[in-house]
Amino acid sequence: MIYIDPPYNTGNDFVYEDDYTDPIGTYLDITSQRDGDGKLSTNPESAGRFHSNWLNMIYPRLKLARNLLREDGVIAVSIDDDELPRLRMVMEEIFSSDMFYANICWQKKYSPANDAKRFSDMHDFIILFSRSDAFMRGLFPRTDENNKPYKHDDGDGRGPYRTDNLSVRTYNAANDFPITNPNTGDVYSPPTGRCWVFSKETLRRYIDENRIYWGKNGAGAPQLKRYLSEVQQGTVPSTWWTHEFAGHNDEARKEIRALFHTTAIFETPKPTRLIKRLSQVLTSPNDNHLILDFFAGSGTTAHAIMQLNAEDGGNRRCISVQLPEPTPAGSVVREQGFETITDISRERIRRAGTKILEEEMSKLEIRAEPLDVGFRAYKLVDTNFTKWRADSSLDEEELSDLFAQMEESANGNAQPEVLLTEILLKLGFSLTEQVTSVDVAGLQAFSVADGLVVAYLNEHTKPTLEQLRALVALEPERLVILEDAFKGDDELKTNLVQECRTSSVDLWTA
């Protein structure tokens, strides 16, 4: 599942023109999002390309989102009235109109705004598109209110049931016949213009199986017994979600305030209940489903997924992505040390996870597996390995200088963990692989994916041949050694190559 809450393009939010090569400062400058004082600007409605700016921002993101979805995946996008028509058209172009799934109307406020210039805006929309016909929506869990009508129980092992009308308006002469109450002998016929819902043979069988209710004292008209154990174990989602059902904006602000003691810069955050409701019907609790939110904001989606896993024992995972937008100068959150929105996102996930764990411990509930609220946080940065920047225009002296600069394969100030992350990505591993630090003959190395990869990335300590043999003895599928660790010792490197060939270990130097 992908859920995003992008800028609504109200004229007060920021709509980005993307440049993926420059840092955030330059990026904001070239897109005229800040003035000389460092102030961020907006996309005012007076701009001639008001809608085009927003569409240019959202289109490539939705295009990529479709490619990221599994065949049985679904995307949910929050939006208001301003860009709803254009968003619908863009999504129909990208996903096809056949893949439109639903348009949920969510009541985001519980009371009207008395200062509204037109009508008081009380709702937002959530548009759903599936990746293909393979997507299957789930059901909301049944509540006590749903089960309340099932108040009868005959003690025959079938469990509680409720009574239901036996007649229908769709008339069928074959189903228009009298029924005799076996307790009193009284005869009952369907109301005028109606017939029984079942045939004579089926009704006779139901009477024999004690599936017909004859009133509290057994002397009434026939009714059908509908058993709770036989009904759909959940409720079908509708497209109208009230604030009592899925939360509201004020509730969302209170959630942030409870963690940060302020709601500054987040004027209309989404409540965790809204995301939990979406996740209940768009994901399954125990299938390791992955949820992506690439407009993470305050981190509501990650918070909601952890909370839902705590409530239903699920093992859903979540990826949150957020551009490092600077927080307003002089704001409360800036004074708290949060210089960017991403700083807030990370800290909310951390604080929310701690709070959820405390609540779980207070319930003294024993889970089959411990609740996982841990996460890894990454920043998009330049490579830490030396890049080849030569071109045909370089003369001999310039080439000589270039080679001199490339004596080191990696940034000497980079931490081994950072180098490992980049190497694993280059090798095709995910950012969620299990990584453990191991001591091998005095060398501090990394074991990845239960020893599938072993890496030694400390350029400051040259290993001995015996230490390298100890690494090979672990029999990883691939052994990764930092080139700088050899300190130019080609003989040591040659010996390691022979050791790896003998043990059928793939050697990779970085």
Side-chain angles (χ1 to χ4, degrees), residues 176-401:
D176 188 353
F177 53 84
I179 299 177
T180 302
N181 185 324
N183 303 314
T184 65
D186 294 336
V187 178
Y188 296 90
S189 295
T192 303
R194 297 172 70 95
C195 65
W196 302 124
V197 69
F198 300 117
S199 66
K200 185 179 294 186
E201 293 76 16
T202 300
L203 265 173
R204 173 51 56 192
R205 177 166 56 86
Y206 275 24
I207 292 173
D208 294 340
E209 293 176 355
N210 194 29
R211 286 177 171 266
I212 301 300
Y213 181 76
W214 301 100
K216 186 176 182 180
N217 300 318
Q223 298 179 66
L224 178 65
K225 295 179 180 179
R226 291 199 179 275
Y227 291 91
L228 178 59
S229 60
E230 296 175 351
V231 301
Q232 189 168 243
Q233 295 305 299
T235 58
V236 175
S238 74
T239 56
W240 168 238
W241 290 11
T242 65
H243 68 82
E244 294 95 346
F245 178 76
H248 45 76
N249 283 341
D250 189 48
E251 177 181 312
R253 286 188 286 268
K254 289 178 180 177
E255 288 177 333
I256 296 177
R257 187 179 295 114
L259 294 173
F260 292 96
H261 310 295
T262 180
T263 59
I265 79 174
F266 296 110
E267 295 182 0
T268 56
K270 298 297 182 287
T272 55
R273 271 204 294 166
L274 177 65
I275 313 304
K276 286 195 293 182
R277 288 300 189 188
L278 285 169
S279 302
Q280 282 178 327
V281 291
L282 303 184
T283 70
S284 298
N286 298 312
D287 291 331
N288 285 305
H289 279 182
L290 184 60
I291 294 91
L292 169 64
D293 179 358
F294 51 85
F295 282 97
S298 68
T300 303
T301 298
H303 185 171
I305 296 304
M306 290 189 295
Q307 185 67 59
L308 184 58
N309 283 343
E311 293 172 3
D312 65 10
N315 55 18
R316 304 172 187 84
R317 297 167 296 146
C318 181
I319 297 175
S320 300
V321 183
Q322 176 59 44
L323 189 73
E325 302 172 25
T327 53
S331 64
V332 175
V333 288
R334 178 66 71 90
E335 292 175 356
Q336 292 182 3
F338 302 110
E339 296 186 358
T340 66
I341 300 297
T342 51
D343 293 335
I344 299 175
S345 305
R346 282 190 292 268
E347 186 59 23
R348 177 178 184 178
I349 298 171
R350 187 175 295 111
R351 295 185 186 186
T354 300
K355 186 173 182 289
I356 292 169
L357 280 181
E358 291 174 350
E359 292 172 350
E360 284 295 294
M361 293 177 64
S362 66
K363 297 175 185 176
L364 298 177
E365 293 183 358
I366 300 176
R367 295 169 55 93
E369 295 182 5
L371 180 64
D372 185 1
V373 297
F375 69 98
R376 294 175 180 172
Y378 296 94
K379 296 179 180 179
L380 188 62
V381 297
D382 198 2
T383 180
N384 285 288
F385 292 92
T386 303
K387 291 185 287 187
W388 177 256
R389 301 179 183 275
D391 57 54
S392 58
S393 64
L394 296 179
D395 58 27
E396 183 177 343
E397 183 177 351
E398 290 172 326
L399 276 173
S400 178
D401 291 340

Side-chain angles (χ1 to χ4, degrees), residues 40-58:
L40 289 170
S41 65
T42 60
N43 183 40
E45 294 185 56
S46 58
R49 294 175 57 82
F50 176 68
H51 294 296
S52 295
N53 290 338
W54 187 84
L55 289 168
N56 287 337
M57 179 276 297
I58 200 66

Side-chain angles (χ1 to χ4, degrees), residues 441-495:
L443 294 179
Q444 293 301 312
F446 296 103
S447 175
V448 181
D450 293 325
L452 186 65
V453 174
V454 171
Y456 177 65
L457 304 174
N458 186 349
E459 67 170 288
H460 303 294
T461 302
K462 178 182 177 182
T464 65
L465 181 58
E466 292 304 314
Q467 288 175 319
L468 293 176
R469 285 172 174 164
L471 290 174
V472 175
L474 296 177
E475 298 184 344
E477 182 176 300
R478 177 167 291 177
L479 176 62
V480 180
I481 305 289
L482 195 65
E483 183 77 27
D484 295 340
F486 292 104
K487 304 295 185 183
D489 191 335
D490 292 337
E491 182 180 352
L492 181 63
K493 186 175 181 180
T494 301
N495 287 331

Side-chain angles (χ1 to χ4, degrees), residues 113-138:
N114 293 326
D115 59 350
K117 295 180 180 179
R118 298 182 180 179
F119 282 63
S120 179
D121 186 5
M122 299 287 289
H123 65 275
D124 275 352
F125 299 99
I126 305 174
I127 295 185
L128 272 59
F129 274 77
S130 60
R131 178 66 170 82
S132 74
D133 290 330
F135 168 70
M136 296 292 291
R137 63 109 176 99

